[in-house]
Amino acid sequence: MLLTRHPANPIMLPIPASDWETYNTFNPAVIYHNGLFHMLYRAQGLDWVSRIGYAVSKDGVNWNRMRRPVLEPQDSSDSRGLEDPRVTEIDGIFYMTYTAYGSEYTGKGKPTHNGAGVLPMIVQSRNLLDWERVGPLVRGEDNKDHVLFPRRIRGKYVALHRRPPQVWLAESEDLVHWPEASMRPVFGPREDNGWDSLRVGGGGVPIETPDGWLIIYHAYDLDHTYRLSACLLDLEDPAVVIRRPRSFILEPRELWELRGDVPNVVFSCANPVVNDRVYVFYGGADHVIGLATATLPEMLNFVLYE
Amino acid sequence: MLLTRHPANPIMLPIPASDWETYNTFNPAVIYHNGLFHMLYRAQGLDWVSRIGYAVSKDGVNWNRMRRPVLEPQDSSDSRGLEDPRVTEIDGIFYMTYTAYGSEYTGKGKPTHNGAGVLPMIVQSRNLLDWERVGPLVRGEDNKDHVLFPRRIRGKYVALHRRPPQVWLAESEDLVHWPEASMRPVFGPREDNGWDSLRVGGGGVPIETPDGWLIIYHAYDLDHTYRLSACLLDLEDPAVVIRRPRSFILEPRELWELRGDVPNVVFSCANPVVNDRVYVFYGGADHVIGLATATLPEMLNFVLYE
């Protein structure tokens, strides 16, 4: 496996005595900004609702958390929780994408999740702490794992999103309207390849390199084991896959990846690059947070030649 | 009294179950930046050492705190604690001034505090969380209550500081060297005036107004009751007092100002101005944090005409 786990793992645990992060802290967004790692993480407390907490770190390993969440449910569209955040900086504004899980379902299709629905939401902030809604990427379908590219491409905002079982692309002039005509599938599961045979979804913010957009993604198989891998998308048309190795870069092996709230899961929403090193932050078994890294040249070597 | 207490007071309390902020949280620095109030507050835990904690707020009343301190003792110069921070932004850099209370005394004069010494320290940060030392304003004397003006004046950095029993001015080319020749007394206690008869010291960051620098300061009398008042200094030469009313703007009256770790104290290190309102954050009895406000026109009316 390409990624090396940090010896201090897991780097973040739930806090039993905290009402809102009692049970699980996992699947964080992490952005490196102004000399610090900033984490926005999913937490589940006594009511099992997912809220977004904030933590800050100099090294990505030792974190100082805020006592209260920074983003919580506001209405029936997200009353069951805010899940799996990704944070992208575009032109000095921070955008968070997360899955809003609502008790009511207002879409045009069938309810997606046990009679309720999900919305792939986008919110924005100037300071990473105070967030306001921009809107959902789409409505009325089972769509999540959406993440914004860190710059406009050919003049448009671009996002990866997930229409099961594939990763899709979407484009927008304003981050509010995402025309159906702009949506195209990018890559999907590989039935003959074992670990990614059933479903795939995007990870953290796409990494711009001279060779293309480096994408870290998750996939699972018939056993529902979640693994991570990487691929390379075209710089000017990210719907085009340049290369996608057949192997993975991380799979559940540690006890805290094998056992937790959902067993056998490594799931990443964050891969910031600091000093040419890719920091892959990931949820272990939907319960704790781990860190595994590789250098950017190692990652590029993997996607280009593995 | 000019200042109006917020009905939610005290707005911050110690946390009994936290090792480092068990007993007292008080005398905070507060700066309004990028749409949020940022607080750096003094806290004393089980070892009675003062550390600096961080909290953030949208309204100045409801605060979200970090679980661990952001600045702690590093060596014998501050091993007994970091006290009474003030934070000033100059040209996009944040500077914190605080009293370093050390177990060893290395100055040239007599030890100032029970065989140990204090240093009026300056540290800097780009992000309000990660701080590095600039240096002390002076060495070898009992000097504290130092605070930087928010811009250079006649090309030089300027600070208020306190040589007992008076408030002094100091100037510097680089924030590191503060020549003795630049130091001048600004104002002192008034023996015939009761509440400020024994000692005075500066408060938060000086507020620039068309009429002069608005200064909030503390003073005490023979009873050791700490009160707050305000005065006006000349814009181009802040060693010149334009006007100093004889009355005070806040005195201890609430139970949590009268009783605490040190009784009968209101002591302020922060007076940010937001939407033309002066937010005076202050320690109550060296134990909790209170908020009292006045509009900027009310404050100016006081210093000009009271």
Side-chain angles (χ1 to χ4, degrees):
Chain A
M1 287 187 294
L2 183 68
L3 296 182
T4 302
R5 288 175 180 81
H6 195 281
N9 273 338
I11 58 159
M12 192 174 286
L13 301 174
I15 299 179
S18 166
D19 55 342
W20 65 280
E21 49 184 330
T22 325
Y23 295 144
N24 301 307
T25 49
F26 59 119
N27 299 2
V30 179
I31 187 164
Y32 190 79
H33 172 73
N34 206 1
L36 295 170
F37 292 87
H38 302 263
M39 178 187 280
L40 290 136
Y41 61 98
R42 178 178 172 188
Q44 288 178 308
L46 297 166
D47 58 5
W48 290 103
V49 169
S50 291
R51 294 175 177 81
I52 306 295
Y54 172 84
V56 68
S57 171
K58 293 180 197 177
D59 57 12
V61 177
N62 299 286
W63 292 87
N64 195 351
R65 319 192 208 186
M66 307 226 70
R67 288 187 171 269
R68 302 303 312 166
V70 295
L71 204 58
E72 301 188 78
Q74 292 173 49
D75 55 37
S76 62
S77 76
D78 59 7
S79 53
R80 291 187 179 188
L82 292 69
E83 305 183 348
D84 305 345
R86 280 92 166 165
V87 172
T88 309
E89 183 179 357
I90 310 175
D91 300 334
I93 306 287
F94 301 104
Y95 297 94
M96 193 197 300
T97 54
Y98 61 85
T99 307
Y101 183 21
S103 60
E104 287 178 32
Y105 180 70
T106 55
K108 54 184 185 290
K110 280 187 302 184
T112 56
H113 289 71
N114 296 326
V118 297
L119 279 177
M121 275 298 294
I122 304 171
V123 294
Q124 65 179 26
S125 173
R126 288 187 293 145
N127 48 42
L128 292 166
L129 296 169
D130 185 19
W131 297 91
E132 65 176 314
R133 287 185 182 174
V134 176
L137 194 140
V138 295
R139 292 180 183 275
E141 61 177 62
D142 178 5
N143 192 310
K144 50 170 71 172
D145 295 329
H146 53 306
V147 58
L148 293 170
F149 284 69
R151 65 165 173 88
R152 296 185 203 220
I153 300 172
R154 294 185 294 195
K156 291 186 179 161
Y157 295 102
V158 182
L160 297 177
H161 59 116
R162 206 272 300 277
R163 283 181 160 156
Q166 292 168 305
V167 172
W168 283 59
L169 201 76
E171 298 172 26
S172 173
E173 300 277 0
D174 57 6
L175 293 166
V176 177
H177 304 91
W178 297 86
E180 184 59 38
S182 77
M183 297 200 184
R184 291 173 287 163
V186 186
F187 63 94
R190 293 177 288 203
E191 287 182 23
D192 61 339
N193 199 46
W195 66 273
D196 62 348
S197 59
L198 219 60
R199 198 172 271 201
V200 295
V205 178
I207 300 166
E208 187 166 12
T209 79
D211 297 305
W213 293 102
L214 175 63
I215 303 289
I216 293 173
Y217 67 95
H218 67 267
Y220 64 78
D221 58 9
L222 282 167
D223 293 333
H224 265 250
T225 295
Y226 279 72
R227 293 175 179 83
L228 299 179
S229 194
C231 65
L232 201 61
L233 307 182
D234 186 79
L235 277 182
E236 285 306 296
D237 183 5
V240 175
V241 178
I242 296 175
R243 197 158 182 284
R244 182 181 172 201
R246 299 198 77 81
S247 59
F248 51 82
I249 60 174
L250 193 74
E251 73 170 353
R253 290 197 185 170
E254 299 289 333
L255 275 176
W256 49 272
E257 297 163 347
L258 299 169
R259 304 180 63 172
D261 201 45
V262 178
N264 309 313
V265 176
V266 293
F267 186 98
S268 176
C269 298
N271 40 244
V273 182
V274 181
N275 295 332
D276 237 23
R277 179 167 290 276
V278 184
Y279 287 71
V280 179
F281 294 92
Y282 61 99
D286 280 18
H287 182 50
V288 299
I289 296 174
L291 168 63
T293 71
T295 65
L296 188 54
E298 285 168 347
M299 290 291 304
L300 279 173
N301 191 63
F302 173 83
V303 290
L304 286 170
Y305 306 114
E306 180 72 14
Chain B
M1 286 187 294
L2 183 69
L3 296 182
T4 302
R5 288 176 181 81
H6 195 281
N9 274 337
I11 59 158
M12 191 174 286
L13 301 173
I15 299 179
S18 167
D19 56 342
W20 64 279
E21 49 184 330
T22 325
Y23 296 144
N24 300 308
T25 50
F26 59 119
N27 300 2
V30 180
I31 188 164
Y32 191 79
H33 172 72
N34 206 2
L36 295 170
F37 292 87
H38 302 264
M39 178 187 282
L40 290 136
Y41 61 98
R42 177 178 173 189
Q44 288 177 307
L46 297 166
D47 59 6
W48 288 103
V49 169
S50 291
R51 295 175 177 80
I52 307 296
Y54 172 84
V56 67
S57 171
K58 294 180 197 176
D59 57 12
V61 177
N62 299 286
W63 292 87
N64 196 351
R65 318 193 208 186
M66 307 226 72
R67 289 188 171 270
R68 303 301 313 166
V70 296
L71 204 59
E72 301 188 79
Q74 293 174 49
D75 55 37
S76 62
S77 76
D78 59 7
S79 54
R80 292 188 178 186
L82 291 70
E83 306 184 347
D84 305 345
R86 279 92 165 166
V87 172
T88 309
E89 184 179 356
I90 310 175
D91 299 335
I93 307 287
F94 301 104
Y95 297 94
M96 191 197 301
T97 53
Y98 61 86
T99 306
Y101 183 22
S103 60
E104 286 179 32
Y105 179 70
T106 56
K108 54 185 185 291
K110 281 186 301 185
T112 56
H113 289 71
N114 296 326
V118 298
L119 279 178
M121 274 299 294
I122 304 171
V123 294
Q124 66 179 24
S125 173
R126 288 187 295 146
N127 48 42
L128 292 168
L129 296 169
D130 185 19
W131 297 91
E132 64 175 314
R133 286 184 182 175
V134 176
L137 195 139
V138 294
R139 291 182 183 274
E141 60 176 62
D142 178 6
N143 192 308
K144 49 171 70 173
D145 295 331
H146 54 306
V147 58
L148 293 170
F149 283 69
R151 66 165 172 88
R152 297 187 202 218
I153 301 172
R154 294 185 295 193
K156 292 188 179 162
Y157 295 103
V158 181
L160 297 177
H161 58 117
R162 206 271 300 277
R163 285 183 158 155
Q166 290 169 306
V167 172
W168 283 58
L169 201 76
E171 297 173 26
S172 172
E173 300 276 0
D174 57 6
L175 292 167
V176 177
H177 303 92
W178 297 84
E180 183 61 36
S182 78
M183 297 199 183
R184 291 173 288 163
V186 185
F187 62 94
R190 293 177 288 203
E191 286 182 26
D192 61 337
N193 199 46
W195 66 273
D196 62 348
S197 59
L198 220 59
R199 198 173 271 202
V200 294
V205 178
I207 300 165
E208 186 166 11
T209 79
D211 297 305
W213 293 102
L214 175 62
I215 303 289
I216 293 173
Y217 67 96
H218 67 267
Y220 64 79
D221 57 9
L222 282 167
D223 294 333
H224 265 249
T225 295
Y226 278 72
R227 293 175 179 83
L228 300 178
S229 193
C231 65
L232 202 61
L233 307 183
D234 186 78
L235 277 182
E236 285 306 295
D237 182 4
V240 175
V241 179
I242 295 175
R243 199 159 182 283
R244 183 179 172 204
R246 300 199 75 82
S247 58
F248 52 81
I249 60 174
L250 194 73
E251 72 170 353
R253 290 197 185 169
E254 299 290 332
L255 275 176
W256 48 272
E257 297 163 346
L258 300 169
R259 303 181 63 174
D261 201 46
V262 178
N264 308 312
V265 175
V266 294
F267 185 98
S268 175
C269 299
N271 40 244
V273 181
V274 181
N275 294 332
D276 237 23
R277 180 167 290 275
V278 183
Y279 288 70
V280 179
F281 295 92
Y282 61 99
D286 280 16
H287 182 52
V288 299
I289 296 174
L291 168 62
T293 70
T295 66
L296 188 54
E298 285 168 347
M299 290 291 305
L300 279 174
N301 191 63
F302 173 82
V303 290
L304 286 170
Y305 306 114
E306 181 70 16

